[in-house]
Amino acid sequence: MKVKQQLVGLSPYKPGKPIEEVKKEFGLKEVIKLASNENPFGCSQFAKSAIKEALEKLALYPDGYAQSIRTDVSAHVNVKEDQLIFGNGSDEVILILCRALLTKGTNTVCAWPSFSQYKHNAVIEGAEVREVPLVEGVHDLDGMLAQIDENTRIVWVCNPNNPSGTYVNEEQFKQFLAKIPRDVLVVSDEAYFEYVVAEDYPQTVPLLKEYDNLMILRTFSKAYGLATLRIGYGIGNSDFIQKIEPAREPFNTTTLAHVAASAALKDQDFINYCKESNRLGMDQFYQFCKEHDLKFYPSQGNFILIDMKTPGNKVFNYLLERGIIVRSGEALGFPTFIRITVGSASQNEAIIQQLRAFINN
């Protein structure tokens, strides 16, 4: 069978190792997974109760238009309902945008290293990918601007950036957006929006009134703790959303996801708790790095990238054998780093103890 040439040599997304696989491989009873930036505190009890109530509807197709969660999200972010598009995680919205805008002969611009799915989906569509290296972990916006030409269709700003955790501030983003041609889509990927504490982080939703070429991505997989249910959304110009809707699969998000996400939105006390706990956990890692003179990037997400001054795979395997799953920076464009999801206080202390042992070994 002949597949698209773009797929030849293209690797599927590789998530962190699953817990049960690690238990079996190393004969472990307990494993701590801090690899995929999931919420260590789970999800709101409101969401769990909503799922239980919806279990009698499993035989029915979900609402393809996602009306219930659409209404709740529009009220939560203060936009019109027709400014929203829902996806099987914000990952699928990325796929939809690439499917709708990119073809052979076009190009897309993104930072590197950044979230892999911008490039992955663009390559499948046959588009050229122009990657601009980060500068000290931060987007080089001037460098990205220089890569835009008449064939550019999408520019990606991962904010906070995964895997570095750094961010583009409001002034920088506004200046950047003002210089982008109006026929080029600018995507502000805000998957970690709920964890941000920086006072000068961009308030992007109000900018939609001025820029019809702006698209904002958010998700329920991170702070809301609904990664299993796979639901995220894009916010943009109503006319543009209508144009790309045909690229969305029918019934792409589930009833369980709809009701859980709607319920989760109503529990902002849980989100605030997770945000505050994440900051306390981040401080544990900051202190560890400073004690051992290890380079790290101050993070606005729920993860931290640490330079261990040795191949990331070596640290990854050392921790894996001891029941802790992280991400090696070798797969993320930072060869001597590891990326750690901030866990509970006890989980953080457990990995810090193992990292100390590794350093002193």
Side-chain angles (χ1 to χ4, degrees):
M1 304 296 288
K2 294 183 179 181
V3 300
K4 293 173 72 171
Q5 184 61 35
Q6 299 94 296
L7 292 175
V8 177
L10 195 63
S11 299
Y13 180 79
K14 295 179 180 178
K17 275 200 167 190
I19 290 174
E20 293 307 317
E21 181 181 328
V22 175
K23 285 183 178 179
K24 184 177 180 180
E25 182 177 354
F26 297 102
L28 300 168
K29 292 184 178 180
E30 296 295 331
V31 169
I32 298 173
K33 184 185 178 189
L34 298 173
S36 301
N37 303 340
E38 296 145 329
N39 189 335
F41 305 106
C43 68
S44 167
Q45 290 296 326
F46 292 13
K48 294 178 183 179
S49 296
I51 290 171
K52 290 178 181 178
E53 293 177 7
L55 289 178
E56 295 302 319
K57 301 178 181 179
L58 295 184
L60 304 177
Y61 281 110
D63 171 14
Y65 192 62
Q67 184 61 63
S68 61
I69 183 60
R70 181 179 299 274
T71 298
D72 291 338
V73 168
S74 69
H76 181 71
V77 299
N78 193 28
V79 297
K80 297 177 181 178
E81 292 185 7
D82 61 4
Q83 287 184 260
L84 299 169
I85 184 169
F86 289 86
N88 187 8
S90 57
D91 306 52
E92 190 190 20
V93 183
I94 294 170
L95 182 153
I96 290 169
L97 291 172
C98 290
R99 177 183 286 180
L101 274 70
L102 300 179
T103 60
K104 186 176 180 180
T106 65
N107 69 70
T108 184
V109 178
C110 60
W112 185 88
S114 193
F115 187 46
S116 62
Q117 295 305 288
Y118 311 143
K119 179 178 181 178
H120 184 90
N121 286 295
V123 168
I124 291 174
E125 299 303 327
E128 177 191 357
V129 181
R130 298 181 176 179
E131 296 178 295
V132 179
L134 300 173
V135 176
E136 282 302 304
V138 181
H139 283 59
D140 176 6
L141 297 181
D142 288 337
M144 293 173 69
L145 278 168
Q147 291 296 318
I148 297 172
D149 62 20
E150 67 276 8
N151 295 318
T152 304
R153 298 292 180 267
I154 310 175
V155 178
W156 308 90
V157 180
C158 190
N159 205 21
N161 186 52
N162 178 13
S164 62
T166 56
Y167 75 106
V168 172
N169 69 35
E170 184 158 32
E171 181 180 358
Q172 294 166 336
F173 186 76
K174 284 184 175 180
Q175 290 178 354
F176 178 72
L177 191 58
K179 296 175 183 176
I180 302 290
R182 288 303 184 103
D183 61 349
V184 175
L185 182 70
V186 179
V187 180
S188 180
D189 187 347
E190 303 175 3
Y192 300 92
F193 172 81
E194 290 79 12
Y195 287 111
V196 172
V197 295
E199 293 182 358
D200 59 349
Y201 181 80
Q203 295 302 310
T204 49
V205 171
L207 295 175
L208 292 168
K209 295 178 181 178
E210 184 178 355
Y211 295 96
D212 58 10
N213 62 328
L214 173 63
M215 186 84 173
I216 302 162
L217 304 184
R218 293 185 183 170
T219 184
F220 287 95
S221 294
K222 304 303 181 184
Y224 285 96
L226 299 177
T228 285
L229 297 179
R230 309 302 299 125
I231 183 166
Y233 58 97
I235 317 168
N237 173 269
S238 298
D239 291 338
F240 176 68
I241 294 291
Q242 184 178 12
K243 289 177 181 177
I244 66 172
E245 270 283 356
R248 180 181 60 80
E249 294 293 328
F251 312 120
N252 63 323
T253 55
T254 69
T255 299
L256 296 186
H258 299 167
V259 299
S262 286
L265 279 177
K266 296 178 176 65
D267 193 358
Q268 291 301 307
D269 286 344
F270 174 77
I271 296 300
N272 291 332
Y273 167 75
C274 293
K275 182 176 182 176
E276 292 169 5
S277 299
N278 182 66
R279 278 298 116 189
L280 293 174
M282 194 73 73
D283 287 341
Q284 290 178 267
F285 287 107
Y286 288 171
Q287 184 61 37
F288 162 74
C289 291
K290 292 172 183 176
E291 287 175 3
H292 295 275
D293 194 27
L294 298 175
K295 179 179 178 179
F296 67 94
Y297 294 109
S299 175
Q300 291 297 319
N302 69 333
F303 56 90
I304 183 170
L305 193 66
I306 302 174
D307 188 354
M308 295 298 294
K309 305 177 184 178
T310 192
N313 286 350
K314 182 178 179 181
V315 187
F316 169 82
N317 289 322
Y318 178 90
L319 294 172
L320 192 66
E321 292 171 2
R322 289 156 179 79
I324 298 175
I325 311 172
V326 297
R327 285 300 297 273
S328 168
E330 293 195 47
L332 301 173
F334 289 89
T336 61
F337 288 68
I338 56 171
R339 191 192 69 190
I340 305 169
T341 302
V342 176
S344 65
S346 60
Q347 289 175 330
N348 299 334
E349 185 56 37
I351 188 173
I352 286 171
Q353 288 181 6
Q354 292 295 346
L355 288 173
R356 286 197 180 106
F358 176 85
I359 292 170
N360 297 325
N361 193 350

